[in-house]
Amino acid sequence: MTADALSKLEAQVRDLEATARETGQDLGAALTPLRAEVQRLRAERSANLSRWDRVQLARTPGRPTALDYVERLCTDFTELHGDRAYGDDPALIGGPARWMGTPVMLLMQQKGRDTKGKIKRRFGSANPEGYRKAARLMDLADRFGLPVVSLIDTQGAYPGIEAEERGQGWAIAESIRRMVRLRVPAVCAVIGEGGSGGALAIGVGNRVLIQENAWYSVISPEGAASIIWKDAAKAPEAAEALKLTAPDLLELGIVEEVIPEPPGGAHLDPDAAARAVGEAVSRSLADLAGLDGETLRSERAARFRSLGAFTES
């Protein structure tokens, strides 16, 4: 069945549900087989997605953002602001919280939930002050013995002139260096897009997880296509070459675990998606809890130094 046919079936289910709500009729007998068929077709389609299809799912409107997960999984979250040098950055946020009961320091790239929010947060693309704020929160995490949990969702660091003038590259490098040196556990989860150094700046974890339909790469497919073929329309071809999907990254050893999503994508059942993310992160935190600071730091550094495949002539 084509994607269009699946969409029509989903629309039919929505229409029947709306009719049932408005009229009070019991339409369960008609809805049950239709819902089952929708679930079956979503699962079937999910099993045959191309790499470009998964990139599109990572960008789907309504996909849960970092704050959506925090609202479902965390208590006592207190957002901390500012880098103590220039200002605050709403694209990269964080602060202490309890992750399913465990005290942690959160670092998150927040894209925004509506047009106004996305513009304010620059679609999750941080300025230098965002990365300096992240390094400041890592200092606090070390000081108070709080494990770091980062939720990654960005196409890359903000590329504006002002960002370059304020030292974008330096700020990213400093954030990476600071994260490598953490003496507390660090667990990172790619929940949507993981683009370039903007993602890696808060992605140097002892464990790196990724949702089933997220992607993680040195460059976005459009960026790669523009450089290689001078044509961003060739992004689907670039996505195939980059091997940026969760199954690819697991096979290459870049991530430790792929977090399953509800059939059809996280946007169709945010609560189920949140439960899966919460449990996966909690498992990793529990695995790392007994390690001392020096072991955590050395294993984290060794993990990233070992990435990549090469041959020697």
Side-chain angles (χ1 to χ4, degrees):
M1 181 175 280
T2 65
D4 286 344
L6 175 57
S7 297
K8 289 178 182 178
L9 191 58
E10 289 171 334
Q12 186 178 351
V13 170
R14 288 194 297 271
D15 289 343
L16 283 173
E17 289 173 338
T19 299
R21 285 193 302 270
E22 292 168 5
T23 65
Q25 290 180 271
D26 183 3
L27 299 178
L31 281 167
T32 298
L34 288 176
R35 286 170 175 158
E37 182 66 4
V38 166
Q39 289 294 99
R40 186 188 71 80
L41 291 171
R42 285 174 177 171
E44 183 180 288
R45 183 167 179 261
S46 295
N48 296 287
L49 292 172
S50 69
R51 291 181 174 93
W52 181 242
D53 288 334
R54 292 192 188 276
V55 170
Q56 298 300 86
L57 273 176
R59 299 170 175 172
T60 297
R63 185 176 179 88
T65 66
L67 284 177
D68 290 321
Y69 288 121
V70 169
E71 289 172 359
R72 288 169 169 83
L73 299 170
C74 296
T75 55
D76 301 329
F77 171 54
T78 302
E79 183 177 352
L80 301 180
H81 298 272
D83 66 344
R84 301 300 187 265
Y86 178 84
D88 193 34
D89 187 349
L92 204 166
I93 60 178
R98 292 183 183 273
W99 181 278
M100 299 180 73
T102 301
V104 299
M105 181 66 75
L106 291 175
L107 302 174
M108 304 173 286
Q109 285 153 338
Q110 174 66 15
K111 284 186 171 180
R113 293 161 166 160
D114 53 28
T115 301
K116 185 177 179 180
K118 289 175 181 177
I119 292 171
K120 173 186 174 183
R121 298 182 188 274
R122 298 185 303 281
F123 294 84
S125 294
N127 274 324
E129 51 270 25
Y131 297 112
R132 287 194 292 264
K133 175 170 65 176
R136 182 172 77 84
L137 298 186
M138 293 179 214
D139 288 341
L140 290 174
D142 257 348
R143 184 182 305 171
F144 295 106
L146 294 173
V148 171
V149 172
S150 70
L151 301 180
I152 298 167
D153 191 11
T154 182
Q155 287 195 18
Y158 191 66
I161 293 175
E162 298 87 352
E164 294 300 324
E165 290 173 343
R166 297 200 293 273
Q168 184 71 291
W170 182 268
I172 291 171
E174 284 291 310
S175 183
I176 292 171
R177 183 174 71 168
R178 182 63 188 90
M179 201 164 191
V180 169
R181 294 177 176 179
L182 280 171
R183 300 181 66 84
V184 293
V187 178
C188 308
V190 184
I191 60 170
E193 302 189 86
S196 194
L200 186 60
I202 61 168
V204 188
N206 296 94
R207 299 285 186 276
V208 179
L209 320 176
I210 186 169
Q211 283 190 284
E212 182 181 352
N213 294 311
W215 65 267
Y216 194 25
S217 175
V218 296
I219 192 170
S220 71
E222 292 88 347
S226 296
I227 292 170
I228 297 170
W229 295 293
K230 312 298 181 187
D231 183 2
K234 292 186 179 290
E237 296 174 44
E240 292 298 317
L242 286 168
K243 295 186 176 180
L244 41 59
T245 65
D248 295 323
L249 299 168
L250 185 64
E251 182 181 349
L252 293 168
I254 293 171
V255 301
E256 276 75 30
E257 182 179 345
V258 174
I259 304 170
E261 296 186 23
H267 61 291
L268 296 174
D269 192 345
D271 291 336
R275 284 193 297 272
V277 170
E279 291 167 3
V281 170
S282 292
R283 282 195 303 272
S284 290
L285 289 172
D287 289 344
L288 298 168
L291 302 180
D292 62 82
E294 186 54 41
T295 300
L296 288 165
R297 184 167 64 172
S298 61
E299 287 189 359
R300 190 182 306 118
R303 180 193 184 282
F304 280 84
R305 288 184 183 278
S306 69
L307 295 181
F310 65 92
T311 58
E312 295 182 357
S313 58

